[in-house]
Amino acid sequence: MTYIAKPKFHHPGLKKNALGYTHRDYEGKISTLCAGCGHDSITASIIEACYGLSIEPHRVAKISGIGCSSKTPDYFLGNSHGFNSVHGRMPSVLTGANLANRDLIYLGVSGDGDSASIGFGQFAHSIRRGVNMTYIVENNGVYGLTKGQFSATADRGSKSKKGVTNTDNAIDLVAIALQLGATFVARSFSGDKTQLVPLIAAAIRHKGASFIDVISPCIAFNNHAGSTKSFDYVREHNDAVNRLDVLVGRDPIAVDYAPGTVQVVEQHDGSKIALRKIDADYDPHDRLGAQTFLARHAAKGQIVTGLLYVDPEADDLHEHLNTVETPLNALEADTLCPGSAVLDKINASLR
Ligand SMILES: Cc1ncc(C[n+]2csc(CCOP(=O)(O)OP(=O)(O)O)c2C)c(N)n1
Ligand code: SF4
């Protein structure tokens, strides 16, 4: 990976949160993603949410897989714990870390390729087990880092950069998360900070498996008419389309629209996606209602955004397994090894 460190100095007048931290304390290295990539807007929203919550950066563990999206933890919370795992394996690494130390705040960052294909099983099991985490998928419908193959969330009938039509049905990770029992389920758009920042903050505060699918346009690899997730870019520079380093950046797409309305977002190639923000009187405590609402609007070609479901009384994997409160690395020797008398008693109970 390429690392560009940020200069340390900052203006002494920068606003501070309740713990005395400034925005800069929640930033990471300078992003090496294409200028205008939706993933950078999500990074900005994560920084904003953590600043607003006055989280101590060293209490966060950010875990990711492989992909442009999975690179982003490098660009926020530079003073927290981080682990860039293998492609698709973020959920099991996060689960293990969480079981070993429940005192940290777990932030899982993944891509649609990372989570909906190679990591689909891992995604599913971490959700159904109720791991206490905020699981964010930066969903662009393509494999960005490996140059634009369809991912499993790409819509059927959409076209790849090379003009190939996708004949496979799309996986809707939000629908699956609802079905698997996630206790906090939301969808948003990378350019809608007004919606995304509070969603991330609420997901972090939620105890249990929080899942947020964030539609995040890739400026580089959906540069063709017919794409439903991003845009045609280098029409005049066909020879150069596979070279990320020659892409001229675009302004990130930003939207802000009222609850209950549909916002058609025009992407840089002129293709459009219809985002529908849930109504103010939508009931997010009804899992079945959320599933129906999602399916009804998907049939109309609309991508529903907002907090779709939350169970405020949710528990998590530690409660299911009845684990000790203390992080494993803080357990004393006599707790870890209570002696042979206790072992004899356990053995006797099993005879
Ligand atoms: C086991 C394994 N298989 C394949 C790859 C190649 N690979 C790297 S990133 C990536 C896809 C990333 O796509 P996505 O998760 O959608 O993230 P994006 O880059 O679009 O943000 C793939 C297939 C890999 N690194 N490891
Ligand atoms: S290739 Fe796509 S996903 Fe990757 S950094 Fe560029 S715009 Fe973002």
Side-chain angles (χ1 to χ4, degrees):
M1 281 189 201
T2 323
Y3 293 101
I4 306 174
K6 265 187 196 164
K8 288 241 184 287
F9 60 86
H10 57 74
H11 195 277
L14 274 186
K15 247 174 63 191
K16 291 182 175 157
N17 63 16
L19 286 183
Y21 292 112
T22 69
H23 264 92
R24 293 300 303 271
D25 296 313
Y26 296 89
E27 292 176 357
K29 299 198 169 72
I30 291 172
S31 171
T32 59
L33 302 185
C34 308
C37 175
H39 299 352
D40 279 336
S41 307
I42 301 172
T43 292
S45 290
I46 292 172
I47 290 170
E48 191 69 36
C50 293
Y51 169 82
L53 287 176
S54 293
I55 284 174
E56 294 168 292
H58 65 272
R59 290 207 48 240
V60 176
K62 38 178 195 170
I63 323 274
S64 61
I66 301 288
C68 299
S69 36
S70 286
K71 284 170 71 175
T72 62
D74 225 20
Y75 313 139
F76 58 80
L77 291 169
N79 295 321
S80 62
H81 307 275
F83 195 101
N84 209 202
S85 76
V86 181
H87 191 30
R89 273 53 164 202
M90 175 276 281
S92 55
V93 174
L94 189 152
T95 303
N98 183 299
L99 282 173
N101 186 349
R102 61 160 79 183
D103 281 355
L104 298 177
I105 296 163
Y106 288 91
L107 207 51
V109 180
S110 180
D112 42 307
D114 201 55
S115 278
S117 286
I118 195 167
F120 196 40
Q122 301 243 332
F123 157 77
H125 291 290
S126 66
I127 296 284
R128 66 180 264 278
R129 288 179 177 136
V131 180
N132 187 10
M133 62 183 171
T134 297
Y135 190 135
I136 297 176
V137 165
E138 305 188 345
N139 186 353
N140 53 20
V142 293
Y143 287 70
L145 194 65
T146 49
K147 302 185 186 284
Q149 303 88 345
F150 291 123
S151 84
T153 66
D155 293 316
R156 185 175 188 168
S158 62
K159 285 198 179 137
S160 76
K161 185 181 78 177
K162 294 198 168 142
V164 178
T165 302
N166 180 24
T167 54
D168 296 332
N169 293 319
I171 289 175
D172 185 337
L173 291 171
V174 162
I176 309 268
L178 279 169
Q179 201 245 311
L180 290 170
T183 46
F184 181 109
V185 183
R187 173 171 274 143
S188 192
F189 180 68
S190 58
D192 188 355
K193 267 182 106 177
T194 318
Q195 183 188 58
L196 185 54
V197 173
L199 279 178
I200 294 171
I204 289 174
R205 291 175 67 103
H206 176 77
K207 183 185 174 196
S210 304
F211 176 69
I212 312 180
D213 181 60
V214 191
I215 307 297
S216 175
C218 164
I219 72 148
F221 293 111
N222 280 322
N223 58 341
H224 46 276
S227 161
T228 57
K229 287 221 166 49
S230 77
F231 50 87
D232 189 349
Y233 167 57
V234 267
R235 233 176 239 127
E236 307 105 54
H237 306 92
N238 274 339
D239 289 339
V241 292
N242 281 338
R243 290 178 50 85
L244 270 183
D245 51 353
V246 299
L247 291 182
V248 176
R250 297 291 181 108
D251 288 336
I253 303 169
V255 292
D256 192 9
Y257 58 115
T261 61
V262 176
Q263 171 83 29
V264 177
V265 179
E266 183 161 340
Q267 304 185 80
H268 295 68
D269 67 345
S271 72
K272 292 176 177 148
I273 50 174
L275 302 177
R276 175 177 236 290
K277 204 171 269 191
I278 53 175
D279 304 78
D281 57 1
Y282 174 90
D283 177 11
H285 303 306
D286 174 6
R287 186 184 292 275
L288 216 59
Q291 288 170 307
T292 318
F293 187 85
L294 194 70
R296 208 172 54 241
H297 288 92
K300 290 195 256 177
Q302 294 175 357
I303 301 166
V304 176
T305 70
L307 174 57
L308 288 157
Y309 178 73
V310 63
D311 173 2
E313 307 300 327
D315 52 16
D316 79 328
L317 184 60
H318 283 282
E319 280 176 51
H320 305 167
L321 297 178
N322 195 22
T323 58
V324 285
E325 295 273 339
T326 319
L328 301 190
N329 65 359
L331 288 175
E332 301 292 340
D334 55 348
T335 312
L336 288 169
C337 181
S340 51
V342 175
L343 184 62
D344 289 346
K345 211 169 145 196
I346 293 171
N347 283 340
S349 75
L350 297 171
R351 282 197 187 103

mmCIF file of all heavy atoms in Angstrom, residues 33-34 37-39 68 140 144-145 217-221 244, ligand 2:
data_model
loop_
_atom_site.group_PDB
_atom_site.id
_atom_site.type_symbol
_atom_site.label_atom_id
_atom_site.label_comp_id
_atom_site.label_asym_id
_atom_site.label_seq_id
_atom_site.Cartn_x
_atom_site.Cartn_y
_atom_site.Cartn_z
ATOM 1 N N LEU A 33 -6.883 7.008 -2.730
ATOM 2 C CA LEU A 33 -7.947 6.586 -3.641
ATOM 3 C C LEU A 33 -8.130 7.635 -4.742
ATOM 4 O O LEU A 33 -7.647 8.761 -4.629
ATOM 5 C CB LEU A 33 -9.263 6.406 -2.865
ATOM 6 C CG LEU A 33 -9.231 5.410 -1.700
ATOM 7 C CD1 LEU A 33 -10.629 5.250 -1.101
ATOM 8 C CD2 LEU A 33 -8.701 4.049 -2.130
ATOM 9 N N CYS A 34 -8.853 7.265 -5.814
ATOM 10 C CA CYS A 34 -9.113 8.230 -6.904
ATOM 11 C C CYS A 34 -9.887 9.428 -6.331
ATOM 12 O O CYS A 34 -10.837 9.225 -5.561
ATOM 13 C CB CYS A 34 -9.982 7.608 -7.981
ATOM 14 S SG CYS A 34 -9.418 6.039 -8.630
ATOM 15 N N CYS A 37 -13.789 9.480 -5.309
ATOM 16 C CA CYS A 37 -14.305 8.164 -4.928
ATOM 17 C C CYS A 37 -15.258 8.319 -3.747
ATOM 18 O O CYS A 37 -14.951 9.019 -2.768
ATOM 19 C CB CYS A 37 -13.141 7.253 -4.532
ATOM 20 S SG CYS A 37 -13.687 5.650 -3.900
ATOM 21 N N GLY A 38 -16.407 7.643 -3.838
ATOM 22 C CA GLY A 38 -17.390 7.714 -2.747
ATOM 23 C C GLY A 38 -16.817 7.251 -1.417
ATOM 24 O O GLY A 38 -17.245 7.708 -0.356
ATOM 25 N N HIS A 39 -15.839 6.339 -1.460
ATOM 26 C CA HIS A 39 -15.275 5.809 -0.211
ATOM 27 C C HIS A 39 -14.663 6.922 0.655
ATOM 28 O O HIS A 39 -14.693 6.853 1.878
ATOM 29 C CB HIS A 39 -14.186 4.770 -0.503
ATOM 30 C CG HIS A 39 -14.648 3.558 -1.262
ATOM 31 N ND1 HIS A 39 -15.967 3.289 -1.536
ATOM 32 C CD2 HIS A 39 -13.933 2.519 -1.791
ATOM 33 C CE1 HIS A 39 -16.048 2.140 -2.200
ATOM 34 N NE2 HIS A 39 -14.830 1.658 -2.370
ATOM 35 N N CYS A 68 -10.332 -1.394 -2.386
ATOM 36 C CA CYS A 68 -10.198 0.057 -2.164
ATOM 37 C C CYS A 68 -10.924 0.422 -0.878
ATOM 38 O O CYS A 68 -10.436 1.198 -0.057
ATOM 39 C CB CYS A 68 -10.793 0.842 -3.325
ATOM 40 S SG CYS A 68 -9.989 0.527 -4.904
ATOM 41 N N ASN A 140 -20.032 -0.291 -4.226
ATOM 42 C CA ASN A 140 -20.002 0.378 -5.539
ATOM 43 C C ASN A 140 -20.399 -0.556 -6.677
ATOM 44 O O ASN A 140 -20.335 -0.172 -7.851
ATOM 45 C CB ASN A 140 -18.619 1.005 -5.809
ATOM 46 C CG ASN A 140 -17.490 0.007 -5.629
ATOM 47 O OD1 ASN A 140 -17.718 -1.199 -5.664
ATOM 48 N ND2 ASN A 140 -16.281 0.505 -5.433
ATOM 49 N N GLY A 144 -13.417 -2.571 -7.349
ATOM 50 C CA GLY A 144 -12.645 -1.399 -7.751
ATOM 51 C C GLY A 144 -11.157 -1.678 -7.850
ATOM 52 O O GLY A 144 -10.529 -1.422 -8.876
ATOM 53 N N LEU A 145 -10.584 -2.264 -6.786
ATOM 54 C CA LEU A 145 -9.129 -2.430 -6.728
ATOM 55 C C LEU A 145 -8.607 -3.336 -7.849
ATOM 56 O O LEU A 145 -7.498 -3.151 -8.332
ATOM 57 C CB LEU A 145 -8.715 -2.986 -5.359
ATOM 58 C CG LEU A 145 -7.233 -2.890 -5.024
ATOM 59 C CD1 LEU A 145 -6.789 -1.437 -4.907
ATOM 60 C CD2 LEU A 145 -6.902 -3.610 -3.738
ATOM 61 N N PRO A 217 -20.310 5.467 -5.203
ATOM 62 C CA PRO A 217 -19.875 5.386 -6.607
ATOM 63 C C PRO A 217 -18.354 5.298 -6.806
ATOM 64 O O PRO A 217 -17.594 5.986 -6.133
ATOM 65 C CB PRO A 217 -20.406 6.678 -7.220
ATOM 66 C CG PRO A 217 -21.525 7.090 -6.337
ATOM 67 C CD PRO A 217 -21.131 6.651 -4.946
ATOM 68 N N CYS A 218 -17.961 4.398 -7.717
ATOM 69 C CA CYS A 218 -16.551 4.261 -8.117
ATOM 70 C C CYS A 218 -16.372 5.095 -9.375
ATOM 71 O O CYS A 218 -17.007 4.803 -10.389
ATOM 72 C CB CYS A 218 -16.267 2.786 -8.389
ATOM 73 S SG CYS A 218 -14.752 2.435 -9.302
ATOM 74 N N ILE A 219 -15.535 6.095 -9.348
ATOM 75 C CA ILE A 219 -15.423 6.961 -10.525
ATOM 76 C C ILE A 219 -14.673 6.282 -11.673
ATOM 77 O O ILE A 219 -14.758 6.693 -12.810
ATOM 78 C CB ILE A 219 -14.738 8.325 -10.222
ATOM 79 C CG1 ILE A 219 -13.255 8.134 -9.974
ATOM 80 C CG2 ILE A 219 -15.398 9.089 -9.126
ATOM 81 C CD1 ILE A 219 -12.464 9.323 -10.419
ATOM 82 N N ALA A 220 -13.923 5.228 -11.369
ATOM 83 C CA ALA A 220 -13.006 4.710 -12.380
ATOM 84 C C ALA A 220 -13.552 3.580 -13.240
ATOM 85 O O ALA A 220 -13.184 3.460 -14.396
ATOM 86 C CB ALA A 220 -11.729 4.240 -11.702
ATOM 87 N N PHE A 221 -14.403 2.723 -12.695
ATOM 88 C CA PHE A 221 -14.705 1.489 -13.422
ATOM 89 C C PHE A 221 -16.161 1.263 -13.769
ATOM 90 O O PHE A 221 -16.577 0.140 -14.034
ATOM 91 C CB PHE A 221 -14.122 0.297 -12.669
ATOM 92 C CG PHE A 221 -12.629 0.339 -12.681
ATOM 93 C CD1 PHE A 221 -11.924 0.591 -11.536
ATOM 94 C CD2 PHE A 221 -11.940 0.196 -13.879
ATOM 95 C CE1 PHE A 221 -10.548 0.674 -11.557
ATOM 96 C CE2 PHE A 221 -10.561 0.281 -13.909
ATOM 97 C CZ PHE A 221 -9.858 0.524 -12.751
ATOM 98 N N LEU A 244 -5.106 3.569 -13.159
ATOM 99 C CA LEU A 244 -5.712 4.416 -12.138
ATOM 100 C C LEU A 244 -4.981 5.739 -11.979
ATOM 101 O O LEU A 244 -5.588 6.758 -11.750
ATOM 102 C CB LEU A 244 -5.662 3.704 -10.790
ATOM 103 C CG LEU A 244 -6.839 2.824 -10.440
ATOM 104 C CD1 LEU A 244 -6.640 2.260 -9.055
ATOM 105 C CD2 LEU A 244 -8.130 3.590 -10.525
HETATM 106 S S1 SF4 B 2 -10.982 2.383 -8.404
HETATM 107 FE FE1 SF4 B 2 -13.049 3.007 -7.825
HETATM 108 S S2 SF4 B 2 -13.299 2.237 -5.734
HETATM 109 FE FE2 SF4 B 2 -11.096 2.255 -6.180
HETATM 110 S S3 SF4 B 2 -10.370 4.248 -5.481
HETATM 111 FE FE3 SF4 B 2 -10.845 4.494 -7.640
HETATM 112 S S4 SF4 B 2 -12.958 5.236 -7.617
HETATM 113 FE FE4 SF4 B 2 -12.601 4.375 -5.607
#
